[in-house]
Every structure is written in structure tokens, then in C-alpha cells.
Amino acid sequence: MTRSWTDELVEPAAGLARGREWLRVQRRNSGDWLFLAPDGAAGWYGTDPACRRLVPLSPLDDGRLPGLHEALGPPRRNGARHRLLAWRVGRRAVLASSDGERSWITKVYRRDRSLLERWTLPATNPATQWRTPAVLRYDAGTRTIRLERVEGRSLNERWLAGEGRPEDGDRIADLLRWIGTTTLPRRFPRYGVGDEVRLLESRLEAFHATLENPSPAAAPLVRRVCAALRSLPDEPARFCHRDLHDKQILLDGAKGSLIDLDLAAAGPPGLDAGNLLAHLRLRALQGARVPWREIALRVAAVAGPERVHVWTASALLRLALIYARRRREPGLLGQLMRSAEQALERTGDWAEPLPSPRRVSADPARAHEDVEVAPCD
């Protein structure tokens, strides 16, 4: 019998997952579990109070997203129709909306975390042909934002179709230069090294709470990457997308759009580039026919070699910890962890894409040791 990735989960999650393919699992603070089936955006299931069986969840019952109930409930008087594209239970939802003449994207949130400021800060740059979707309306009461629906094909779609080209690195580099010129207001959400360290530590905790036999290599690697992050020199904050990857970049001929600015913040140089580079490596490991080294070279050249290797390592490690809760191919977690260590040291996978290779160790006691990361799955 073929072993599923869910067989590696702790109980009762592993037992509850058997007999069906799942895309993602999530353990909530309350101790119960959520499972996402490949049934579309509303394919979430939750456990009963005793965690003995799974029951389907409805977005109409998600009381923490009142705007979602309003959109998906009885037809509105203005005749608008909505189709659910994505739903994170109790957190946010994305809908394709239309009134018969126009179409737009509706996003519903649990909390308003400077949404308007985040979505409206980057200005369209005619010189580089980059833009972000225009905000059409915002309802503070239901925490619902209406956005222009932009045209284009994502880098992810092109890469998965085997249409990736080295020139994609030039487009990404151009995008990074554009958002790097954004003038930050005095009051804007901030994201720093301390936030990244706390995020890694939180992901590590979830990693250990999710897998029956988590890799012993994870915790030491988290400590090394966190130490490397703390050792980075202080630099002026710049506009950061914070979730920059191939699904967030749409290309339409010479034009391009950057979408999903929910997490945008003033942050460290290298954060966005490192996240993009990590996802680039992830796609290659997942089998996408993409010239990842050539693209990475062009992106790293504008990101600053003295910092981008650390942020790339952190993003790769984050992905390894996150993919413990997602459908994956055997061995992927170990590959991501090894790639994270190599990015930190600029060896192996990252000897060529990251300039100025030299030994980097965040732990002085191990500065001259060669450290091997054991397979973690």
C-alpha cells in the first residue's frame, strides 16, 4: 500500500486522515484539527469536540468573517455575484465578484491590519510597467476590500508549464528595484529580524506538534539561522511585500502586476529576494522545469550578497517547517533543510547563485566545522 504524507502525522490526525487525499492539515490553538481536501476553496473539514471524526465546514458558518457571510448569503440588492476562490478558516477569504458588467476581487479579513495602507502604498511606475491592483472600495465594518481584477499569467503558471527563462530573473530584479523605491510613511507596519526569529521558532513548534517523528536536524538549524539573522548589520528599512513568490507576480506582455499585499511592511533589505529565491528552489525541487540557477543569479545580484544568503536560508527553512503540514513528495523536507544550510554557507545548491562564496557560520563554536544535515523525512 502506498504510504501517504499524512501517515507521518501525530495521532489522532494520522488516523483521521486515512482513506482520503488531503492538501493541508492544521492544528489550532484549541487542540482540534483542520483538514483541506482538493474539493475547491470550501473543502475544509474540522474535528468534532472529541477529535474522533471529521465534519465538513461551511464558509457561511465562519462567524469570524462576517463579510464572507454577507457576500455568500442571499443575493444582494445590487445583484452582485461572488465565487469563493480561497478560504483560510477564521482568517480571510478571497472571492471573484461580478455584477454582470464589471468584475473584481473581494477579500474578507478577520482583522484590519493596516489594509488600506498596505494595498495603496506602492505607486504604479510607468517607466517599469509595474503596478498593484487598485483599491475600489473598503468596508471597515465587515473588513472587506474590493480590488481591481488585473490581467496576467503568474510566474508560477509559466514555470510549472516549463516556460521559465533566465530573463525572468531580470523581470524580478526590476520588480525589486521598483518596490525598493517606495517612500515609506512614518507610521507603517514594521517587520524586522526579531519578527522573523519569532516566526521560525513558532513554525518549529508547530513542526514538532505535527509530525510523529520530526527531524532532529530542524531545531539546530533553526538556531543557526536565527543566530545568522541576528548578526546581520542594521540597515534602513524598505518596503517589503513579505510574501513574495512566483504566484504573486503576474506578467502580461511587457507589463507586470504585484498582487496580495496583505503582509506588506517596512522591513530589511534581502527579505523579499530571499523569499523569492527560496520559492524558486522549491519549484525546481517539486519538478518544475525552470532554470533556477540562472534566474537566482540575476535576482541575487540586486539583493546584496551580504544579506540575501541569510534571508534565503530563513525562507527555505520556513518552507520546510510549513510543508510538514502540506501534501509533498517524499524527501522534500530534507531537501529544503539541506538547501537552507547550503544557502547559509553559500555552498552546494547556492555556491553559484549567491555571489562572493565564503564560509558562513552563525555559531562561533562551530565556525570551522563542516556540518551535515541529516535527512528529516
Side-chain angles (χ1 to χ4, degrees):
M1 182 177 178
T2 304
R3 184 175 174 82
S4 169
W5 69 275
T6 55
D7 293 332
E8 300 176 20
L9 301 174
V10 298
E11 294 293 351
L16 290 167
R18 290 193 181 100
R20 186 167 185 180
E21 187 60 48
W22 302 95
L23 299 180
R24 182 184 302 181
V25 301
Q26 178 181 335
R27 188 175 188 176
R28 300 201 281 190
N29 294 335
S30 57
D32 58 335
W33 291 83
L34 294 174
F35 292 75
L36 178 61
D39 300 337
W44 283 98
Y45 289 72
T47 53
D48 64 4
C51 287
R52 293 180 179 175
R53 66 186 183 93
L54 294 177
V55 293
L57 302 178
S58 168
L60 292 175
D61 297 328
D62 196 339
R64 288 175 292 180
L65 299 177
L68 182 56
H69 183 278
E70 184 175 342
L72 294 176
R76 302 289 303 279
R77 282 180 295 177
N78 61 10
R81 295 292 182 268
H82 308 274
R83 178 169 57 89
L84 190 64
L85 298 178
W87 174 36
R88 295 284 300 276
V89 180
R91 296 183 64 181
R92 63 180 177 270
V94 183
L95 307 99
S97 305
S98 173
D99 62 5
E101 297 180 1
R102 298 163 297 173
S103 55
W104 62 92
I105 296 295
T106 299
K107 302 193 76 171
V108 183
Y109 303 87
R110 178 183 179 184
R111 297 175 181 169
D112 179 354
R113 294 178 172 173
S114 304
L115 289 172
L116 283 181
E117 293 87 345
R118 284 173 154 149
W119 276 93
T120 57
L121 186 58
T124 298
N125 188 333
T128 59
Q129 300 294 312
W130 286 105
R131 64 194 301 255
T132 58
V135 175
L136 305 178
R137 182 182 301 173
Y138 178 63
D139 185 334
T142 59
R143 298 177 292 282
T144 299
I145 193 168
R146 178 185 291 191
L147 300 162
E148 170 193 18
R149 186 163 189 164
V150 296
E151 300 296 329
R153 190 179 181 207
S154 74
L155 281 178
N156 178 264
E157 293 176 288
R158 295 181 55 232
W159 289 354
L160 293 181
E163 299 172 13
R165 303 187 301 270
E167 291 75 20
D168 291 341
D170 296 328
R171 299 292 297 274
I172 296 168
D174 188 47
L175 170 64
L176 290 172
R177 293 189 192 98
W178 167 54
I179 61 176
T181 63
T182 299
T183 301
L184 293 170
R186 181 171 298 180
R187 300 186 66 180
F188 193 67
R190 299 271 164 174
Y191 187 87
V193 164
D195 298 297
E196 183 77 1
V197 167
R198 286 188 289 273
L199 183 60
L200 284 174
E201 292 173 344
S202 168
R203 294 285 186 260
L204 179 64
E205 184 178 345
F207 179 81
H208 284 284
T210 300
L211 296 179
E212 184 68 34
N213 296 297
S215 167
L221 188 53
V222 167
R223 288 195 293 270
R224 291 189 64 200
V225 171
C226 288
L229 286 164
R230 292 189 183 102
S231 71
L232 289 173
D234 291 333
E235 296 180 88
R238 55 166 282 179
F239 178 87
C240 293
H241 182 279
R242 273 194 59 210
D243 192 26
L244 188 62
H245 56 75
D246 48 322
K247 294 182 180 180
Q248 314 287 36
I249 302 172
L250 306 183
L251 299 181
D252 183 17
K255 300 179 181 179
S257 298
L258 179 63
I259 63 173
D260 201 2
L261 279 79
D262 294 348
L263 300 178
L271 189 157
D272 277 347
N275 204 57
L276 193 288
L277 291 174
H279 280 83
L280 176 61
R281 186 69 187 114
L282 170 66
R283 301 308 176 213
L285 291 172
Q286 290 175 325
R289 300 187 304 277
V290 55
W292 76 271
R293 289 184 182 277
E294 293 87 342
I295 296 174
L297 275 168
R298 301 182 188 206
V299 174
V302 302
E306 294 307 314
R307 53 182 178 257
V308 71
H309 70 288
V310 177
W311 287 105
T312 301
S314 183
L316 283 162
L317 184 51
R318 255 191 291 116
L319 287 172
L321 299 176
I322 289 171
Y323 267 81
R325 295 174 278 138
R326 295 186 182 184
R327 183 171 63 181
R328 61 186 183 274
E329 293 299 319
L332 179 64
L333 302 187
Q335 291 173 316
L336 287 169
M337 286 193 181
R338 284 189 289 273
S339 194
E341 185 182 37
Q342 291 166 355
L344 193 65
E345 301 176 343
R346 287 182 276 200
T347 61
D349 285 349
W350 299 99
E352 181 182 351
L354 298 178
S356 304
R358 58 184 173 85
R359 185 79 179 169
V360 175
S361 178
D363 186 344
R366 303 174 65 188
H368 301 292
E369 295 181 13
D370 288 326
V371 182
E372 293 293 331
V373 177
C376 68
D377 58 338

